[in-house]
Amino acid sequence: MSKEELMFLVLQHFQEEGLMETAQTFGRETGLYFDCKYLEEMVLNGKWDEAEKYLSGFMKLEDSKFSIKIYFELRKQKYLEALDSNDRGKALEILMKDLKVFSLENEEVFKDMTQLLTLNNIREHKSLSTYQDAIYGRKNVMNEIREIIEKHPMLDGKLKFPAIQSQSLKHLLVERFHTFHQISVPAAPEQGIFMNHVNVHHSRPSTSASINQDLNNAGVPNESICSKTLEDIKSEFIEKSVKVSKGIVHISSPSQCQMLLLPKHSERGKIARLAYTFAGNGIIALTSNGAHPLWVWPNAGNDLASTQVCPQLWHPKSNLEFMRNDLKHANVEDLVSCFAISKRDTYLISTSGGMTTLFNMVTFKGNATVICSNV
């Protein structure tokens, strides 16, 4: 799947979830799809700044004669409305700030615009004798702009949204999740900090006791579903987990546990989640500030975790930073932290309540990020 196809799936997802402002921003910032209906809505409602901001993602005023004409018609209508409402101060500001730039292209047109300031009624000018009101003017402007947009070479191929099956992004995520077998699900309250999503070998140390101070402060956050997409995926994988769990050794008494103090890490956040890697030779954590410290036993017997050897905090030489979730859209007062690891420890999918990110565990780089809506 190409990058453009993936971005269209994300854009469609925003639209289906009713995140229209996010969809418009995404379309504008990527320059992927020009929504003429959205521009029309801005024009008909006199939201001139929003209209120009949207256009700026696809064209600049000086790009071509098409762009010049579109920007001129928008600013001209804004100017006429200020004059028609007898707001001379605002009209003068628009003339000098927004319209003067067009004098370089056509000085006569700018002179005509300036002359309108001297009239008591803009309809006295012969070119505006049929002008009715703001609503009438905006409709005419939009009709003219629409014709220019359809001819604009910079918008070629960006005016039609491709035919995509509904919920395609969700279906794609479900397909990708079929490669994952571990889902971060916290244990019941009476089981303390043990997490039932870890495939534990009898000889491995309990990660629940591995970080004394951090775990004493961490507690176990209440599990909630981070998005509608993850909700569907979790229900499917829980059923599979029940079948797989029959072959897993469960920890049922303290005598089965061994204790190990993991080396300190630089993150200040509390530990919210812990899990063994699929290979069993490492432990990965998720902190309350979205970071993923990773400890590995590079020289342990049989390459498995052991209390006899101290693990090392690990990261690739090419990337000294931890894998880190984006908390930009997260509710910091009620963070939802969960993650899952692929079978070969190649990928990690993680969220701290705002965005869901797919990380490459070899490079620690994020391959894809999806904004999840709260449930």
Side-chain angles (χ1 to χ4, degrees), residues 288-346:
S288 58
N289 60 352
H292 275 288
L294 173 63
W295 295 269
V296 296
W297 280 265
N299 299 314
N302 298 322
D303 292 327
L304 295 179
S306 169
T307 56
Q308 306 303 315
V309 179
C310 185
Q312 301 175 2
L313 195 63
W314 188 88
H315 56 74
K317 294 182 180 180
S318 60
N319 192 348
L320 301 181
E321 297 290 332
F322 292 126
M323 292 176 283
R324 187 180 300 275
N325 289 328
D326 192 334
L327 304 182
K328 187 182 302 180
H329 299 277
N331 181 356
V332 294
E333 297 180 356
D334 187 24
L335 289 181
V336 179
S337 302
C338 57
F339 64 90
I341 309 171
S342 68
K343 289 184 178 180
R344 299 178 182 177
D345 293 325
T346 306

Side-chain angles (χ1 to χ4, degrees), residues 71-89:
Y71 278 95
F72 174 73
E73 292 300 330
L74 287 176
R75 296 179 181 185
K76 175 186 174 183
Q77 180 60 30
K78 180 168 64 169
Y79 177 62
L80 294 179
E81 290 185 21
L83 287 174
D84 201 33
S85 61
N86 292 318
D87 192 341
R88 302 286 170 174

Side-chain angles (χ1 to χ4, degrees), residues 46 48-49 75 77-99 117 138:
W48 309 113
D49 292 341
R75 296 179 181 185
Q77 180 60 30
K78 180 168 64 169
Y79 177 62
L80 294 179
E81 290 185 21
L83 287 174
D84 201 33
S85 61
N86 292 318
D87 192 341
R88 302 286 170 174
K90 182 178 180 181
L92 181 59
E93 180 183 357
I94 296 171
L95 179 69
M96 301 308 296
K97 182 181 177 181
D98 297 334
L99 290 172
L117 281 170
R138 293 171 187 176

Side-chain angles (χ1 to χ4, degrees), residues 76 79-80 83 88 111-125 127-128:
K76 175 186 174 183
Y79 177 62
L80 294 179
L83 287 174
R88 302 286 170 174
K111 288 181 179 180
D112 285 342
M113 294 292 101
T114 304
Q115 183 184 1
L116 292 177
L117 281 170
T118 65
L119 303 178
N120 293 325
N121 188 329
I122 59 174
R123 295 162 188 81
E124 296 175 13
H125 195 283
S127 65
L128 298 171

Side-chain angles (χ1 to χ4, degrees), residues 193 206-220 270-274:
I193 55 178
S206 167
T207 58
S208 63
S210 61
I211 308 179
N212 290 343
Q213 184 174 357
D214 280 345
L215 289 180
N216 287 335
N217 295 330
V220 180
K270 300 175 183 178
I271 299 297
R273 290 287 187 273
L274 282 172

